[in-house]
Amino acid sequence: MDALIQAFGLVFDPFVLAVIAVSAVFGMFVGAMPGLTATMATALLVPVTFFMPPVPALGAIVTATAMAIFAGDIPAALLRMPGTPASAAYADESYEMTRKGQLNLVMGTNLVFSAAGGLIGVAVLIALAPALAEVAINFSSFEYFWLACLGLTCAVFLTNADPVKGFLSLFIGLLLATVGIDPSAGFPRFTFGEVELMQGVNFVATMIGVFAVSELLRNAVTVRDAGRVVVQQVGNMFRGLGAVWRRYWLNFLRGSAIGTVIGALPGAGADIAAWISYAISKRFSKEPEKFGTGHVEGVVDATSANNSAVGSAWIPALVFGIPGDSITAIVIGVLYMKGMNPGPTVFTENPQLIYSVFLIFILANLIMLPLGWAAIKSARQMLRTPPNILLPVILLFCIVGSFAMTNSLYGVTVMLALGLFGWFLEQHGIPVAPLILGLVLGEMLEQTFVQNMIKADGSALAFFSRPIAGALGVATVLIWAVMLVRAFRPAPRRVVA
């Protein structure tokens, strides 16, 4: 109890509250700009936090991260350009809702369910941190291999297009993931003598290219038509949310649970949580044919998942010193910089610090509502900007974001090349979402497969030797079997009267 009282005193200090407020605005801005990510926002804060005590330093990172993950939904809905990778899974869905005149509903859904999902993640962080981290720490390369396979299997549920085209896009993404240094032999592959390609195809630059640049190209080709877009009247974005809550409260709980579990797994993160949650939502929906046409159900699942994953990613970081994602990897560095080693001892030696992090998470998700409302109101003005002015400005942000991720023109080149390629794919009816999923999980799939084969001396049965790995493997194989049976089952004949 004394530690909790101390935590309240630390968090509600005027200086700490001012840091949280400034960080919230900063995170909202970074997340809302296509090409700038939550990881970048965190990295940019590190030099500033160097001069701060531990609590305001962690408060700045927690608040900026939570705001950036939500704010990525704003350009996704307005322009089909996800501000962060965590919003890429349902960018098409949000944008289609906007085109159908449901901008108020999709923005209100993103805001409210993001805050609620974030609070669920914090609640789990508070209640089950040691238990969930203990489960995650027991995962070996065998479990991660099957998790990657399950994630790739979701590609078939991500699009309403021809499944063959979906798998083609997925395999292109997996092919791009093989560019770089071979994880087992250390030999460069598909680099064509270019040193920059040895680091692989940058994921953020690729995401910016296939989503943002391809959309810019599409709008540039039809710029006259784009200028006739009907600007929707600014209204009450909370209207209609009661009906969404009553109909999809189970989806919210399911998405939050998926995000919490995925976020607690080291190396996963909010973006993977959103992809998997969206795919599961479509798979078990009573109206799967509406997905991809502007259906709020998938948005509820995915936006709840990526925000709940933000809090649960801190579970392995705080309890075992193992980063749950790239953001908590930076957090661990900050903790070491402050002379506090993350791990089980931090709960006994600095309990007030842990309680302070919990309180800051709760505060960040609560202030997300008014600040997010203000951000959405101001962001809507983008729809009133003439396309010949708006498109070059967005392209500038895309170039800045891609350059910042690699500190070279390599990122910009990848962005432009894959933007043109993404536009070409979509012009021929090939979805780009599976491509991104293949690039995200391809590296994990290859590395864990190679590790497992070395461990097992080439025995395939070893992939099922551990209890959790065996259960995940059997589930994955069964899903593949069902998909094959359905693919080759002859279509029922119509009886003509």
Side-chain angles (χ1 to χ4, degrees), residues 493-497:
R493 296 181 180 179
R494 295 183 179 181
V495 179
V496 180

mmCIF file of all heavy atoms in Angstrom, residues 493-497:
data_model
loop_
_atom_site.group_PDB
_atom_site.id
_atom_site.type_symbol
_atom_site.label_atom_id
_atom_site.label_comp_id
_atom_site.label_asym_id
_atom_site.label_seq_id
_atom_site.Cartn_x
_atom_site.Cartn_y
_atom_site.Cartn_z
ATOM 1 N N ARG A 493 -24.097 -28.952 -57.550
ATOM 2 C CA ARG A 493 -24.820 -28.711 -58.793
ATOM 3 C C ARG A 493 -26.173 -28.077 -58.505
ATOM 4 O O ARG A 493 -26.854 -28.431 -57.559
ATOM 5 C CB ARG A 493 -25.043 -30.032 -59.535
ATOM 6 C CG ARG A 493 -23.746 -30.693 -59.993
ATOM 7 C CD ARG A 493 -24.059 -31.991 -60.736
ATOM 8 N NE ARG A 493 -22.815 -32.628 -61.182
ATOM 9 C CZ ARG A 493 -22.811 -33.796 -61.835
ATOM 10 N NH1 ARG A 493 -23.965 -34.417 -62.114
ATOM 11 N NH2 ARG A 493 -21.670 -34.304 -62.220
ATOM 12 N N ARG A 494 -26.510 -27.132 -59.358
ATOM 13 C CA ARG A 494 -27.811 -26.489 -59.225
ATOM 14 C C ARG A 494 -28.865 -27.301 -59.961
ATOM 15 O O ARG A 494 -28.651 -27.682 -61.113
ATOM 16 C CB ARG A 494 -27.773 -25.053 -59.773
ATOM 17 C CG ARG A 494 -26.859 -24.134 -58.989
ATOM 18 C CD ARG A 494 -26.927 -22.730 -59.544
ATOM 19 N NE ARG A 494 -26.075 -21.809 -58.786
ATOM 20 C CZ ARG A 494 -25.956 -20.518 -59.051
ATOM 21 N NH1 ARG A 494 -26.642 -19.991 -60.078
ATOM 22 N NH2 ARG A 494 -25.166 -19.762 -58.328
ATOM 23 N N VAL A 495 -29.941 -27.543 -59.294
ATOM 24 C CA VAL A 495 -31.029 -28.289 -59.902
ATOM 25 C C VAL A 495 -31.950 -27.321 -60.623
ATOM 26 O O VAL A 495 -32.497 -26.378 -60.014
ATOM 27 C CB VAL A 495 -31.821 -29.071 -58.834
ATOM 28 C CG1 VAL A 495 -32.974 -29.823 -59.477
ATOM 29 C CG2 VAL A 495 -30.889 -30.031 -58.107
ATOM 30 N N VAL A 496 -32.086 -27.522 -61.919
ATOM 31 C CA VAL A 496 -32.940 -26.649 -62.713
ATOM 32 C C VAL A 496 -34.343 -27.247 -62.759
ATOM 33 O O VAL A 496 -34.538 -28.400 -63.159
ATOM 34 C CB VAL A 496 -32.392 -26.502 -64.155
ATOM 35 C CG1 VAL A 496 -33.314 -25.578 -64.959
ATOM 36 C CG2 VAL A 496 -30.993 -25.961 -64.110
ATOM 37 N N ALA A 497 -35.292 -26.465 -62.305
ATOM 38 C CA ALA A 497 -36.672 -26.972 -62.268
ATOM 39 C C ALA A 497 -37.235 -27.069 -63.670
ATOM 40 O O ALA A 497 -36.948 -26.250 -64.519
ATOM 41 C CB ALA A 497 -37.513 -26.069 -61.408
#
